[in-house]
């Protein structure tokens, strides 16, 4: 079986999507539609903006979504996933790719999600930290025993777990994790505690938007971050998408389950190669590749 996987925040780069725009009339049309839907020229920032410009949440999330979804669409008939999955934000790209969401609705939800998350970040000073070289159970235990709000947020691959929470609690947890033998416990340059209880205001806001959006029957199952299992049911997809903002991203578990269910090939669709690297760390036998426009042009 073949899985198509879609990256999340952090995969952006200056000039992203320009090659698609310049070489595909369909891509050009979709990018122009996006500018109209968002009511600002996101293409200017994507194609010509600095790395700093692209870090702004209201730009970052739609930019990565657009790069991923437009690439999937211009692959045409060669885009034939048996299953899809996305890391955090990437789950929205995956849902457009498997026909659950339209391009327009997917982009609107991603934009609303980004703005809601930005507002939640501004309400409470918070951050995230990457922890390398420890068993998940050790990290989870430190989170539980640290005063304040700090939780496991991203299970990226064995030995790489991101924690999320209040700044003071994260700093304390990092000290304890280093004492426990972590190779690194590094605070990340992010604006807030994604996938933690601190995102509750954003979850409520996104829930209302998702409930008012039409979800179609998917063309193939999606392995969702919250459950790490294949989902076909629209009501379940919606609930998992809403829960995702305050729940951990179970990427390790999702990939393991996809492989257990018969997936052998993972093709990353969108900017960067982060997910391919994680898949290889989860299971060396998995075949990985990037979806490239050149291959079908």
């Amino acid at each position: 079986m073949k899985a198509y996987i879609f990256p999340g925040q952090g995969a952006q780069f200056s000039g992203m999507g320009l090659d698609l725009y310049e070489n595909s009339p369909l891509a050009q049309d979709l990018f122009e539609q996006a500018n109209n839907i968002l009511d600002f020229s996101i293409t200017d920032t994507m194609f010509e903006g600095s790395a700093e410009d692209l870090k702004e949440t209201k730009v970052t999330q739609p930019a990565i979504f657009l790069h991923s979804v437009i690439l999937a669409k211009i692959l045409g008939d060669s885009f034939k996933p048996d299953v899809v999955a996305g890391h955090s934000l990437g789950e929205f790209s995956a849902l457009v790719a498997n026909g659950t969401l339209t391009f327009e609705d997917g982009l609107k939800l991603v934009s609303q999600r980004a703005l809601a998350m930005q507002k939640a970040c501004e309400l409470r000073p918070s951050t995230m930290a990457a922890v390398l070289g420890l068993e998940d159970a050790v990290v989870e235990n430190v989170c539980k025993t640290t005063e304040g709000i700090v939780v496991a947020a991203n299970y990226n691959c064995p030995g790489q777990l991101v924690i999320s929470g209040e700044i003071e609690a994260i700093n304390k947890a990092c000290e304890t994790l280093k004492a426990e033998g972590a190779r690194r416990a590094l605070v990340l340059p992010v604006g807030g505690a994604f996938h933690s209880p601190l995102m509750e205001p954003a979850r409520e806001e996104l829930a209302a938007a998702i409930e008012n959006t039409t979800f179609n029957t998917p063309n193939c199952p999606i392995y969702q971050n919250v459950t790490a299992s294949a989902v076909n049911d629209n009501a379940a997809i919606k609930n998992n998408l809403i829960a995702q903002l305050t729940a951990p991203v179970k990427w390790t578990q999702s990939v393991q389950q996809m492989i257990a269910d018969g997936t052998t090939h993972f093709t990353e669709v969108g900017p960067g190669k982060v997910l391919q690297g994680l898949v290889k760390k989860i299971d060396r036998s998995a075949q990985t590749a990037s979806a490239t426009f050149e291959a079908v042009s």
Side-chain angles (χ1 to χ4, degrees):
M1 286 206 313
K2 189 167 188 177
Y4 282 81
I5 53 177
F6 297 82
Q9 205 157 332
Q12 69 274 9
F13 64 90
S14 299
M16 61 188 289
L18 181 58
D19 57 334
L20 307 181
Y21 186 93
E22 289 179 339
N23 292 292
S24 164
L26 173 58
Q28 202 169 96
D29 180 53
L30 290 168
F31 275 122
E32 294 302 342
Q33 280 184 47
N35 286 339
N36 290 330
I37 292 164
L38 295 170
D39 210 23
F40 71 94
S41 184
I42 193 167
T43 50
D44 284 353
T45 310
M46 288 175 71
F47 302 163
E48 298 160 24
S50 66
E52 201 58 39
D53 295 332
L54 279 165
K55 269 186 190 171
E56 196 179 353
T57 300
K58 78 164 190 174
V59 172
T60 313
Q61 294 193 22
I64 293 166
F65 168 88
L66 286 170
H67 191 287
S68 300
V69 168
I70 290 173
L71 177 55
K73 285 190 177 294
I74 65 177
L75 291 174
D77 292 340
S78 71
F79 183 79
K80 289 177 181 169
D82 297 304
V83 296
V84 294
H87 190 288
S88 189
L89 158 72
E91 204 160 86
F92 288 83
S93 309
L95 286 169
V96 174
N98 79 348
T100 305
L101 287 170
T102 65
F103 172 77
E104 184 175 351
D105 284 343
L107 180 56
K108 284 178 179 174
L109 285 177
V110 165
S111 179
Q112 287 169 298
R113 179 183 189 265
L115 293 169
M117 288 171 79
Q118 187 63 48
K119 277 194 276 182
C121 291
E122 288 162 6
L123 286 173
R124 297 270 291 276
S126 55
T127 193
M128 302 175 84
V131 183
L132 306 182
L134 283 180
E135 294 285 331
D136 290 348
V138 175
V139 181
E140 289 163 353
N141 189 55
V142 168
C143 288
K144 279 178 196 165
T145 55
T146 300
E147 193 179 336
I149 296 172
V150 55
V151 296
N154 293 357
Y155 292 82
N156 286 334
C157 66
Q160 187 187 128
L161 208 167
V162 176
I163 59 174
S164 184
E166 295 167 326
I167 291 172
E168 198 175 330
I170 289 282
N171 289 334
K172 280 183 195 167
C174 284
E175 286 172 27
T176 308
L177 289 161
K178 285 174 189 170
E180 289 280 354
R183 198 163 72 247
R184 293 185 84 180
L186 182 71
V187 176
L188 298 171
V190 295
F194 305 143
H195 304 291
S196 83
L198 296 173
M199 284 291 117
E200 181 58 27
R203 190 196 67 79
E204 290 173 7
E205 202 171 314
L206 186 64
I210 285 174
E211 291 302 344
N212 289 322
T213 300
T214 300
F215 278 53
N216 305 307
T217 304
N219 301 325
C220 68
I222 178 169
Y223 283 72
Q224 289 192 277
N225 294 173
V226 171
T227 62
S229 60
V231 187
N232 275 308
D233 176 70
N234 276 344
I237 289 172
K238 282 188 175 187
N239 288 338
N240 292 336
L241 211 52
I242 293 163
Q244 192 218 73
L245 274 185
T246 53
V249 172
K250 296 178 180 174
W251 186 252
T252 302
Q253 298 90 327
S254 297
V255 172
Q256 288 169 338
Q257 190 59 53
M258 280 189 268
I259 291 168
D261 292 344
T263 301
T264 52
H265 290 72
F266 293 81
T267 302
E268 186 164 2
V269 189
K273 295 183 178 182
V274 171
L275 296 186
Q276 291 171 70
L278 296 180
V279 168
K280 279 292 190 186
K281 286 175 182 172
I282 293 164
D283 191 320
R284 282 170 177 258
S285 70
Q287 300 296 305
T288 61
S290 294
T292 56
F293 177 56
E294 290 76 22
V296 295
S297 58

